């Protein structure tokens, strides 16, 4: 038995997708949605430790940061981000937390035929999603990365943590969007119809890929503008789809080396 923990939980779609994957892969398991208020999260997780057939859970808004403190061990990337979105119950009842957002984003890009290695990357945003993406991209060996964000403190902190983990990657803080092959909106701009564009789309190089984290609407103003310019538009939904295979592997224990959990 697996769970997704959220509040509210009526909108979640991961159980449907994961249950279809369990069926397809012949895994005798089910994922259910659990609506848990923040004040009940610790009790919920403590109770699950004693459930012998509980395999793990997916955590989403608003639990990703708080649940990290309830795990017995974290993978490197979960520790670096201070957040967890997948938790696995080990045979001895202990809990391992991982953060799969960034890996999901990269898997989604690769599934669409867009490579990261050797590319010049522009990423705007320094929140939870953008930070996870920055680490996963750096792990793939891009040629260089330009990071941009509204709040300079959060930007500096992300750049510092990234440089500490990936000293070989050339990271520039601030700069224009021209001169990049892969341009990513990692901010929440685009969710609302009156949001300004997160970057100067008219300055993006011809032939570049423009990728989103925002999932609603599927084609944001940024992606519509990119398409109108003949650029490759890569929707935020691909990040979620890319995470499904990562979640499946982590939760079922098919892949246990995720970042030297310790
Ligand atoms: N596709 C997926 O699977 C997936 C997964 C996770 C998240 N997401 C989406 O990713 C988006 C960001 O989520 P998050 O968890 O990273 O949120 P977050 O931690 O709150 O970060 C929000 C980011 O957006 C920036 N931002 C917000 N309003 C802005 C504005 N008016 N002007 C300029 N920058 C602005 C913030 O800049 P400051 O630092 O200056 O505040 C920050 O960089 C959301 O839309 C979320 O739904 C998608």
């Amino acid at each position: 038995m697996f769970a997704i923990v959220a509040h509210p939980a009526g909108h979640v779609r991961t159980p449907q997708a994961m249950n279809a994957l369990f069926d397809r892969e012949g895994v005798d398991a089910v994922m259910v949605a659990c609506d848990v208020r923040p004040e009940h999260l610790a009790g919920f997780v403590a109770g699950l430790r004693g459930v012998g057939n509980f395999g793990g859970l997916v955590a989403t808004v608003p639990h990703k940061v708080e649940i990290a403190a309830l795990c017995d061990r974290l993978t490197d990337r979960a520790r670096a981000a201070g957040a967890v979105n997948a938790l696995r119950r080990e045979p001895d009842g202990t809990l391992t937390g991982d953060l799969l957002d960034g890996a999901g984003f990269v898997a989604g890009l690769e599934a669409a035929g867009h490579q990261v290695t050797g590319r010049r990357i522009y990423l705007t945003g320094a929140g939870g999603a953008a930070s996870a993406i920055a680490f996963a991209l750096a792990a793939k060996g891009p040629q260089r990365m330009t990071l941009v964000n509204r709040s300079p403190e959060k930007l500096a902190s992300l750049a510092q943590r990234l440089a500490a983990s990936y000293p070989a990657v050339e990271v520039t803080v601030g700069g224009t969007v021209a001169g990049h092959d892969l341009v990513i909106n990692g901010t929440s701009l685009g969710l609302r119809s009156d949001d300004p564009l997160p970057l100067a789309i008219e300055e993006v190089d011809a032939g570049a890929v423009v990728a989103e984290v925002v999932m609603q609407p599927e084609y944001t103003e940024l992606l519509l503008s990119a398409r109108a310019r003949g650029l490759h538009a890569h929707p935020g939904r691909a990040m979620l789809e890319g995470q499904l295979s990562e979640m499946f592997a982590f939760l079922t224990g098919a892949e246990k080396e995720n970042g030297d959990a310790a």
Side-chain angles (χ1 to χ4, degrees), residues 101 105 123-125 128-131 133 183-189 191 210-218 220 222-223 234-240:
D101 285 327
F105 182 81
L123 172 64
T124 177
S131 299
I133 288 171
V183 170
I184 303 158
N185 173 37
T187 76
S188 41
L189 286 177
L191 275 172
V210 178
E212 262 292 2
V213 291
V214 172
M215 286 185 288
Q216 281 285 353
E218 181 173 3
T220 57
L222 176 71
L223 292 184
H234 181 78
R237 190 167 46 81
M239 177 172 174
L240 194 66

Side-chain angles (χ1 to χ4, degrees), residues 84 178 197:
V84 156
L197 289 185

Side-chain angles (χ1 to χ4, degrees), residues 172-244:
T172 305
V173 175
T176 69
V177 71
H180 298 88
D181 320 294
L182 178 54
V183 170
I184 303 158
N185 173 37
T187 76
S188 41
L189 286 177
L191 275 172
R192 294 167 31 164
S193 57
D194 58 350
D195 278 342
L197 289 185
L199 52 92
I201 190 72
E202 68 283 1
E203 292 175 16
V204 176
D205 286 12
V209 175
V210 178
E212 262 292 2
V213 291
V214 172
M215 286 185 288
Q216 281 285 353
E218 181 173 3
Y219 280 86
T220 57
E221 281 305 315
L222 176 71
L223 292 184
L224 292 173
S225 311
R227 277 215 300 216
R229 279 209 45 211
L231 306 169
H232 303 280
H234 181 78
R237 190 167 46 81
M239 177 172 174
L240 194 66
E241 287 164 359
Q243 275 208 67
L244 281 179

